[in-house]
Amino acid sequence: MYKRIFKQKGSRVWRGRYKLGNSPKVYDVALKTPFRHVAEAKLTALVREKEDELAGLIAPKSARDAALKPIAAHLADHLADLTALKRSTKHVAFTRNRITRLCQQCGWKLLRDITADGFMKWRAAQGVTLSPKTLNEYLGHMSAFLTWLGRKGHLSHHPLKSVSKVETRGQERCKRRSLTDDELSRLISSSGRRGLIYHFAACTGLRRGEMVALLWADLHLDVAEPFIEARASTTKNKKTATIPLMPELAQALRDFRAQQRTATGKVFRRGIPKPFTMKKDLKACGIPYMDELGRHVDFHALRHTFDTNLQIAGVSPRAVMDLMRHSDMRLSAKTYTDTTRLPIFQEIKKLPSPIASPKSDKTCLNSGKVGQSEISTVVEKISVLRGEKPLLTAPVQQGPNVKMAEREGFEPPEPFGSPHFECGALDHSATSPAHEGENVELHPQNGSRKFTPFPHCSPSASGRLAFDKLRRQQNRAARLLGIVDARGQAAQGRRPELLGNHPRARHLRAARPPAR
């Protein structure tokens, strides 16, 4: 460790220099004393403190000093910073009032008094006084304040980081609905000069504050396609927005401009109707302020009306998001859309019916003939041969049998010494003539029949290996279907011609069971 004290030329006080750990940086501090032993003690204490901070044994000095400072003093610095960052006056006021109230009711005076348990106890004690959304806003303001302290180095950890938000879905106290076309028409026509304001808000989606700050210079009414150029200083997201105007609204604005003394300054000089004024207008035209679902109509509900009309008109979700000036299309589709006005009953009729109508020639979704499994056909035929009743679970064949493709390609011959199927003498009148003489040889003495599967191929070494595999598959299929027993002999009462076109039994059709 490097540390030493020295005096500059012509100075009466001591200074100190030191390094921390293996860092090459040299720190120079003023010890502010003319006495050597005092300067050495100060430098030793300073180096020890810095080494403890570097090792994490103690908190940084800025955090220790902030811990002794009242929360009110930190809050004043935070509000001054928000004002310097050009946050809205409303946001600054909400931050001051809510943090002050929270600290007073929780008894927090210093930063070390803030705990997650204290906040959760306060939240639980509110009951129904505050809505879930308001409780989450309290948590958001306090968390932002603590995060700001952490960025400045005044707080080593976030005490409310583990606190979760309250569930707000289904517990909203302020529910809005959109106006129908008839209701909007009545509100505009019966509200006098305020009708233009309602018409403007319902057809542009502008917010109350944006309409208050709207200037005639922002309206471009004398072009082929009229539009509004909302300034970034007036919009909520602080971005310039271009909003097209409907022809009827553009003409109404032109007529309104012609009635003004001058076409400069604010468009709506008398301001936007207050909530109680809008309630009177709604009552005058017979529109209930609150419906049976507990949803009410205020000025911001006109923005919901604009979004819902766009959805009903079939505008693409991306275009709706741009016209509403949202950062996420889910906000437009879920929060601002009035689902009770969507034509869901008309849309469901566009789907094709899965069941064919008895009075119509239309078929169902899966129309067409469905083929039957060959194995199910074999089981049904064998049951009939035995005199048994057919299985209730066996499917009913609905279409004609499809003829299998003829054998093609290389098929190896039967190797020497390979087993074959031996059947006793048969009554040829009881067999199918389609199999007479097909790969069948009669024994000259006892009249037994020998089935040769591949008589047309020449023997080869590779053919023997391939045939062994095919033979094992064919014998396994024959045993599974009950055509032959485990020794390769034809089973009693089995008729291979009943197998139809089953692919695993195509080489067993010539086998004949012994006569009964």
Side-chain angles (χ1 to χ4, degrees):
M1 179 185 296
Y2 168 76
K3 67 175 181 177
R4 74 183 185 90
I5 60 173
F6 65 95
K7 282 185 178 180
Q8 291 181 340
K9 186 176 181 180
S11 177
R12 296 178 62 253
V13 296
W14 291 91
R15 297 186 65 86
R17 288 181 179 176
Y18 65 94
K19 291 182 180 180
L20 296 177
N22 297 326
S23 175
K25 184 178 180 180
V26 178
Y27 297 90
D28 189 298
V29 294
L31 300 176
K32 300 178 182 180
T33 179
F35 304 104
R36 183 183 183 90
H37 66 283
V38 176
E40 289 178 349
K42 280 188 173 183
L43 183 60
T44 302
L46 178 61
V47 172
R48 184 185 301 113
E49 179 184 353
K50 296 296 182 181
E51 288 287 353
D52 290 345
E53 290 181 4
L54 188 63
L57 300 178
I58 59 175
K61 189 175 186 304
S62 60
R64 297 198 304 272
D65 294 341
L68 302 176
K69 188 176 178 180
I71 295 179
H74 289 296
L75 180 58
D77 297 339
H78 179 50
L79 296 176
D81 189 33
L82 291 178
T83 304
L85 293 175
K86 305 299 181 183
R87 297 294 187 264
S88 65
T89 306
K90 183 178 180 180
H91 175 71
V92 175
F94 271 123
T95 302
R96 179 183 61 253
N97 297 337
R98 287 174 174 173
I99 293 179
T100 301
R101 177 185 176 183
L102 183 60
C103 293
Q104 289 177 354
Q105 296 185 358
C106 292
W108 297 339
K109 298 184 181 300
L110 300 176
L111 295 180
R112 63 170 176 263
D113 299 333
I114 302 175
T115 59
D117 291 339
F119 177 83
M120 288 188 290
K121 289 180 180 178
W122 170 85
R123 186 171 62 182
Q126 299 307 308
V128 296
T129 306
L130 300 177
S131 66
K133 179 177 179 293
T134 304
L135 292 175
N136 289 339
E137 290 176 352
Y138 271 86
L139 177 61
H141 284 294
M142 196 65 193
S143 296
F145 174 52
L146 297 176
T147 302
W148 176 82
L149 290 172
R151 286 199 302 264
K152 291 186 63 178
H154 294 170
L155 201 62
S156 58
H157 69 285
H158 196 310
L160 301 184
K161 188 176 182 179
S162 60
V163 179
S164 303
K165 291 185 177 181
V166 181
E167 180 61 56
T168 59
R169 291 176 296 182
Q171 304 181 29
E172 299 87 353
R173 292 189 180 180
C174 181
K175 298 180 181 180
R176 296 183 176 91
R177 71 176 181 92
S178 65
L179 294 173
T180 63
D181 295 340
D182 178 65
E183 291 174 338
L184 182 60
S185 177
R186 282 186 288 158
L187 179 64
I188 294 173
S189 60
S190 63
S191 300
R193 63 176 183 83
R194 294 185 295 272
L196 177 62
I197 299 177
Y198 299 143
H199 188 190
F200 187 90
C203 294
T204 60
L206 287 179
R207 303 174 178 88
R208 174 187 291 271
E210 296 168 345
M211 291 180 60
V212 170
L214 192 65
L215 303 177
W216 282 110
D218 300 331
L219 271 63
H220 302 268
L221 304 176
D222 300 325
V223 295
E225 295 181 353
F227 65 95
I228 301 173
E229 191 73 21
R231 289 165 286 132
S233 59
T234 64
T235 58
K236 183 178 179 179
N237 58 4
K238 303 304 178 184
K239 295 180 181 180
T240 303
T242 301
I243 305 171
L245 293 174
M246 298 176 61
E248 298 81 2
L249 178 60
Q251 184 59 42
L253 290 172
R254 292 191 198 99
D255 298 339
F256 179 68
R257 183 181 60 179
Q259 300 172 5
Q260 305 300 314
R261 297 179 183 177
T262 176
T264 59
K266 292 185 177 181
V267 177
F268 306 106
R269 297 179 182 179
R270 296 186 179 182
I272 307 301
K274 300 296 182 181
F276 64 90
T277 304
M278 188 172 182
K279 284 185 179 180
K280 291 182 180 179
D281 294 336
L282 292 171
K283 184 177 181 180
C285 58
I287 300 175
Y289 175 74
M290 183 176 295
D291 63 359
E292 60 276 4
L293 298 179
R295 305 176 303 168
H296 63 270
V297 178
D298 57 3
F299 192 83
H300 198 69
L302 298 176
R303 182 170 168 84
H304 289 246
T305 303
F306 178 63
D307 179 270
T308 305
N309 289 337
L310 291 175
Q311 300 285 356
I312 294 175
V315 181
S316 64
R318 175 65 188 182
V320 173
M321 184 186 76
D322 290 342
L323 290 172
M324 292 291 293
R325 292 169 290 124
H326 286 154
S327 59
D328 191 346
M329 62 180 64
R330 290 177 296 181
L331 183 62
S332 307
K334 296 176 63 177
T335 305
Y336 279 83
T337 302
D338 188 352
T339 56
T340 60
R341 288 189 56 203
L342 297 179
I344 56 176
F345 288 95
Q346 288 74 17
E347 295 296 330
I348 199 66
K349 295 178 182 178
K350 297 180 181 180
L351 293 177
S353 175
I355 303 176
S357 174
K359 299 182 180 180
S360 174
D361 295 335
K362 296 181 179 180
T363 58
C364 61
L365 292 176
N366 297 326
S367 61
K369 296 181 178 180
V370 181
Q372 182 181 357
S373 171
E374 295 288 347
I375 297 179
S376 301
T377 306
V378 171
V379 173
E380 183 179 359
K381 290 183 178 181
I382 291 176
S383 300
V384 174
L385 183 63
R386 289 180 175 179
E388 301 173 354
K389 294 183 179 180
L391 299 176
L392 295 178
T393 57
V396 180
Q397 186 160 351
Q398 300 178 359
N401 290 331
V402 181
K403 183 178 181 180
M404 299 293 293
E406 297 295 337
R407 294 180 298 178
E408 296 182 357
F410 173 75
E411 291 183 346
E414 178 184 3
F416 298 102
S418 61
H420 53 269
F421 301 114
E422 294 287 348
C423 303
L426 298 177
D427 182 6
H428 296 287
S429 60
T431 61
S432 174
H435 299 284
E436 291 296 333
E438 179 183 350
N439 305 338
V440 178
E441 297 180 5
L442 296 178
H443 197 278
Q445 296 180 0
N446 57 12
S448 63
R449 303 167 66 88
K450 175 183 178 182
F451 172 60
T452 305
F454 309 110
H456 59 281
C457 299
S458 59
S460 63
S462 61
R464 294 190 188 98
L465 297 177
F467 176 77
D468 289 341
K469 181 178 180 180
L470 292 175
R471 180 173 51 80
R472 288 193 298 271
Q473 294 178 353
Q474 133 186 350
N475 291 341
R476 187 183 304 113
R479 288 194 300 272
L480 290 175
L481 296 173
I483 303 303
V484 297
D485 54 16
R487 296 174 299 174
Q489 300 297 326
Q492 287 287 343
R494 299 295 189 271
R495 299 182 62 183
E497 62 269 15
L498 295 178
L499 293 175
N501 295 323
H502 194 276
R504 291 189 177 181
R506 61 188 181 190
H507 301 308
L508 304 177
R509 297 170 188 150
R512 299 293 187 268
R516 295 183 179 179

